[in-house]
Amino acid sequence: MRTNSTKIVITMELETLHWDAGMAMFSAQSINVMIGERKNARFAGLVHPSDYETKFCQGEFYKDSSMEDVTLWLPRNEIIKDIRISIENDAQIEAPTPYKYPPIVFYGSSITEGGHSCRVTNVYNALISQHLDVDYYNLGFSIINKKSLFQRTGTNLPWYHPSYSIKTLSLKAVNADIRRDILQFPPRSWSYDRKDCFYSAFLRHSHQTASL
């Protein structure tokens, strides 16, 4: 949303709340609040439970009286039962600024999912989204079921109508059979970074001329 309210109150009640051995609460169970133009948005704070027994939480955020985008990055792990946003009575509210480009689909292992990131806004796909001003879908999840990852994601990609899809996974988590299956997957070009041990595949899905 866009608003000129100088005070914004966000309340959230979670339907589920689970401890994650590999993720901090600030990433897995929290709302990240960003204020301002996407490329230069500033981190305003978090709305998060006080512990793993408390599903209700609230946060107050302050800004100047200019019209600015307020973007909420929702919890990575949990189902939200209720969320409410309150602004000052005399404040204006508008639809958020549209993204400059059509969405990108990111799919892959826990790297894409955001594993071990301290906040969802620090995951590489979120940083790309902000820098390029492009919406995105994050279809990353643990590489435990490796074949299912590529079979399901590849089948479902057309549903998202992405401008690009980007696939990333760690070679350390991939055995020889799965690596062979990956290399037979549709993307047109592959890059292999030996230093970081990542496979990355980029596939153009439309005739959009976005200057990425």
Side-chain angles (χ1 to χ4, degrees):
M1 68 175 183
R2 284 175 57 81
T3 184
N4 61 355
S5 181
T6 59
K7 180 180 179 180
I8 302 164
V9 180
I10 301 169
T11 59
M12 174 177 67
E13 184 178 1
L14 295 172
E15 180 73 29
T16 60
L17 182 55
H18 304 100
W19 177 72
D20 190 321
M23 301 287 290
M25 178 182 287
F26 302 136
S27 180
Q29 287 87 19
S30 303
I31 294 176
N32 279 240
V33 182
M34 304 290 287
I35 297 177
E37 178 189 11
R38 288 190 186 93
K39 285 189 176 183
N40 302 304
R42 58 193 182 276
F43 174 66
L46 299 167
V47 181
H48 63 85
S50 57
D51 52 57
Y52 287 99
E53 302 295 327
T54 306
K55 295 182 178 181
F56 180 86
C57 50
Q58 179 175 291
E60 295 184 4
F61 305 91
Y62 298 88
K63 57 182 282 301
D64 62 33
S65 59
S66 61
M67 289 293 293
E68 291 187 288
D69 282 295
V70 178
T71 304
L72 308 186
W73 297 70
L74 301 182
R76 168 186 173 274
N77 282 17
E78 310 301 343
I79 298 172
I80 296 176
K81 182 177 182 179
D82 185 45
I83 183 170
R84 300 186 183 189
I85 304 171
S86 302
I87 61 175
E88 295 168 312
N89 291 333
D90 58 348
Q92 295 177 307
I93 186 170
E94 300 175 353
T97 303
Y99 285 95
K100 186 175 182 180
Y101 299 116
I104 294 174
V105 170
F106 293 89
Y107 59 109
S109 62
S110 56
I111 299 166
T112 304
E113 183 184 15
H116 304 287
S117 176
C118 60
R119 299 201 314 263
V120 294
T121 47
N122 286 347
V123 182
Y124 82 91
N125 39 43
L127 295 174
I128 291 174
S129 170
Q130 289 181 269
H131 179 71
L132 298 180
D133 193 11
V134 58
D135 200 1
Y136 76 102
Y137 300 99
N138 186 344
L139 302 186
F141 54 93
S142 174
I143 198 66
I144 293 173
N145 189 352
K146 307 173 187 70
K147 282 192 176 182
S148 177
L149 164 69
F150 297 103
Q151 290 168 350
R152 290 207 306 263
T153 307
T155 301
N156 294 334
L157 271 178
W159 184 87
Y160 293 92
H161 305 290
S163 54
Y164 283 83
S165 66
I166 299 179
K167 173 168 56 182
T168 305
L169 65 154
S170 172
L171 286 179
K172 296 177 182 178
V174 179
N175 61 35
D177 291 337
I178 302 304
R179 190 178 298 120
R180 183 180 60 251
D181 291 342
I182 293 169
L183 290 173
Q184 296 172 353
F185 209 67
R188 306 290 192 265
S189 62
W190 289 89
S191 65
Y192 171 40
D193 188 328
R194 293 182 180 275
K195 180 179 179 181
D196 294 329
C197 291
F198 289 109
Y199 267 124
S200 295
F202 301 86
L203 173 61
R204 186 71 177 271
H205 281 278
S206 72
H207 299 291
Q208 301 289 339
T209 56
S211 301
L212 299 179

